């Protein structure tokens, strides 16, 4: 691992001024989002008050109850993924499955990002182009936050591991874009990404778009210095995803110096037990609040902020992201960090 230093500092601490003004060319910070992240980001729902469903309440929230009842399907006390798998196993090409997917897609497509800064805006703006945010969620909020800022500021790559209502592609010409756009090569409308997979046979390699997204996250995990798991429980039903991520994260080294962080409302011990195959030696942190995480304490310097105490043995002075201010003030606050990154790139 490359040894990094901060000049002109007391050996016991690295100040926030130095962290801000001296960004380092570090390996990526990879963030993986589950449904809990979107629920935490939008506890009051979207801009119109529509709430974010989980797999446990999706039937009621999205409006699938009358559709299932009319078809004589008993959905009570079932996780939606398990229910969908049962229906798929009985009749994989049934009109009911198509109706279910169309209903889900319509609900999520209509969700609107609030006009004021959201947690997902803060997440995107707190990372750099070297970093990756991967989501298992169908909702459009990560994409919309990324789209809102990507032309003005350097932002991380985003990856959709289970498809997304905003994403479409042309498989033939390997073009990806927003749903509703057309392929510049064949002028055909891009095909919306698939959303639903039976849990027992989630073969990601069968879908070209999903396969390409998984290649990106596996590459990111292999090279990452820091991994954050936010609101994703790695369900037993998705063993393929868990195995793919584990093999990528630990494929090149035992991860004795790297850091893992879990943001989740569950208790730490249960989370550590679930994520044991991932966790580097002694370097796992847990918080229930995104704004107490390393990303929010060291915006755009998250890897530096974790490297300093864990590898250099020094105190890194945090400079928390101001979460209550509006976009204009937030952009002004971020400008010194981004300007320092531009200077680093020029002098590289």
């Amino acid at each position: 691992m490359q040894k990094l230093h901060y000049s002109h500092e007391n050996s016991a601490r690295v100040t926030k001024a130095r962290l801000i003004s001296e960004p380092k060319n570090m390996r990526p910070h990879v963030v993986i989002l589950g449904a809990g992240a979107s629920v935490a980001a939008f506890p009051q729902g979207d801009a119109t008050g529509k709430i974010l469903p989980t797999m446990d309440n999706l039937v009621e929230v999205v409006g699938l109850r009358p559709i299932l009842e009319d078809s004589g399907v008993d959905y009570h006390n079932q996780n939606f993924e398990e229910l969908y798998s049962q229906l798929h196993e009985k009749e994989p090409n049934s009109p009911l499955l198509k109706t279910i997917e169309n209903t889900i897609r319509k609900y999520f497509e209509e969700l609107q990002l609030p006009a004021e800064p959201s947690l997902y805006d803060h997440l995107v703006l707190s990372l750099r182009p070297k970093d990756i945010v991967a989501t298992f969620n169908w909702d459009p909020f990560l994409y919309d936050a990324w789209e809102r800022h990507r032309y003005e500021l350097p932002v991380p790559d985003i990856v959709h591991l289970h498809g997304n209502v905003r994403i479409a592609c042309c498989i033939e010409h390997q073009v990806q874009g927003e749903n509703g756009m057309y392929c510049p090569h064949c002028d055909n409308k891009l095909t919306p990404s698939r959303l639903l997979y039976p849990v027992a046979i989630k073969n990601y390699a069968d879908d070209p778009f999903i396969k390409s997204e998984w290649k990106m996250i596996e590459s990111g995990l292999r090279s990452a210095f820091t991994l954050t798991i936010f609101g994703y429980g790695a369900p037993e039903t998705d063993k393929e995803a868990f195995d793919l991520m584990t093999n990528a994260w630990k494929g090149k080294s035992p991860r004795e110096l790297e850091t893992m962080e879990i943001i989740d409302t569950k208790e730490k011990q249960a989370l550590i037990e679930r994520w044991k195959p991932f966790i580097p030696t002694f370097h796992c942190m847990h918080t229930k609040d995104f704004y107490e995480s390393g990303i929010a304490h060291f915006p755009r310097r998250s890897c530096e902020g974790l490297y300093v105490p864990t590898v250099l043995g020094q105190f890194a002075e945090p400079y928390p992201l101001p979460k209550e201010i509006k976009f204009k003030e937030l952009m002004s606050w971020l400008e010194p960090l981004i300007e320092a990154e531009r200077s680093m790139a020029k002098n590289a």
Side-chain angles (χ1 to χ4, degrees):
M1 177 178 290
Q2 180 185 4
K3 192 72 172 177
L4 303 180
H5 297 281
Y6 283 87
S7 57
H8 311 302
E9 287 291 344
N10 182 297
S11 61
R13 64 187 283 116
V14 175
T15 66
K16 59 185 178 182
R18 191 65 67 190
L19 287 165
I20 291 169
S21 64
E22 293 186 18
K24 304 301 182 183
N25 186 23
M26 296 195 67
R27 292 188 282 123
H29 189 152
V30 172
V31 181
I32 297 174
L33 306 179
S38 288
V39 172
F42 304 94
Q44 307 304 318
D46 77 339
T48 65
K50 291 179 70 172
I51 67 171
L52 273 295
T54 66
M55 288 298 148
D56 291 329
N57 65 9
L58 185 139
V59 168
E60 294 291 345
V61 171
V62 171
L64 292 176
R65 180 172 60 82
I67 295 169
L68 295 172
E69 288 179 349
D70 288 347
S71 299
V73 176
D74 182 10
Y75 60 88
H76 295 90
N77 302 317
Q78 288 199 72
N79 173 284
F80 174 74
E81 280 196 313
E82 295 171 353
L83 173 64
Y84 179 82
S85 286
Q86 293 170 14
L87 295 173
H88 188 278
E89 186 176 353
K90 288 180 181 178
E91 192 177 348
N93 298 314
S94 77
L96 174 60
L97 294 184
K98 190 65 176 176
T99 301
I100 288 172
E101 176 151 4
N102 288 341
T103 302
I104 291 172
R105 188 180 295 277
K106 183 175 185 297
Y107 186 91
F108 280 92
E109 282 179 343
E110 292 176 352
L111 293 173
Q112 300 176 38
L113 191 67
E116 298 302 328
S118 68
L119 184 153
Y120 275 7
D121 290 289
H122 292 154
L123 171 63
V124 167
L125 293 170
S126 294
L127 297 169
R128 285 151 57 183
K130 68 179 179 66
D131 303 320
I132 298 174
V133 183
T135 180
F136 283 95
N137 301 333
W138 299 326
D139 69 70
F141 295 132
L142 176 65
Y143 179 89
D144 289 349
W146 176 80
E147 180 72 15
R148 178 146 71 182
H149 302 297
R150 70 186 182 104
Y151 295 109
E152 297 180 22
L153 298 172
V155 294
D157 284 334
I158 59 172
V159 179
H160 298 90
L161 301 175
H162 274 183
N164 190 266
V165 295
R166 286 289 188 267
I167 304 298
C169 59
C170 174
I171 300 301
E172 181 181 355
H173 298 105
Q174 298 185 338
V175 171
Q176 179 179 318
E178 188 168 348
N179 199 359
M181 295 177 65
Y182 289 80
C183 174
H185 302 287
C186 61
D187 206 32
N188 290 326
K189 196 171 185 178
L190 299 180
T191 302
S193 64
R194 182 181 173 186
L195 300 182
L196 300 183
Y197 300 83
V199 294
I201 48 173
K202 278 187 177 176
N203 190 344
Y204 296 120
D206 282 351
D207 185 291
F209 167 75
I210 297 297
K211 181 180 179 180
S212 69
E213 297 294 278
W214 274 95
K215 281 186 176 180
M216 287 182 62
I217 192 60
E218 288 177 273
S219 175
L221 283 168
R222 279 192 290 270
S223 61
F225 174 70
T226 302
L227 171 63
T228 295
I229 307 291
F230 184 6
Y232 175 61
E236 298 287 351
T237 53
D238 208 350
K239 186 177 183 300
E240 182 179 357
F242 189 81
D243 290 345
L244 284 170
M245 291 189 295
T246 303
N247 292 336
W249 171 242
K250 301 194 79 172
K252 283 193 172 181
S253 78
R255 297 293 185 176
E256 294 176 348
L257 295 176
E258 290 82 352
T259 301
M260 179 175 173
E261 181 174 48
I262 303 173
I263 307 172
D264 202 296
T265 56
K266 298 183 184 71
E267 293 306 315
K268 182 177 181 179
Q269 195 53 47
L271 292 165
I272 287 178
E273 187 64 29
R274 181 67 187 108
W275 290 101
K276 189 181 295 182
F278 270 75
I279 296 170
T281 308
F282 304 118
H283 293 167
C284 180
M285 297 174 294
H286 169 248
T287 179
K288 296 184 178 182
D289 185 351
F290 168 78
Y291 293 101
E292 295 300 321
S293 70
I295 298 171
H297 277 178
F298 301 98
R300 305 188 73 86
R301 306 289 184 271
S302 55
C303 289
E304 291 91 331
L306 293 170
Y307 179 92
V308 166
T310 58
V311 179
L312 299 184
Q314 298 171 294
F315 172 75
E317 183 182 9
Y319 51 98
L321 183 82
K323 68 175 183 175
E324 303 297 340
I325 61 177
K326 297 187 181 297
F327 274 123
K328 184 177 180 180
E329 292 80 11
L330 180 58
M331 296 307 171
S332 296
W333 187 88
L334 288 166
E335 186 54 36
L337 291 126
I338 295 168
E339 188 56 42
E341 292 161 26
R342 294 189 184 114
S343 295
M344 177 189 69
K346 289 177 183 177
N347 296 326

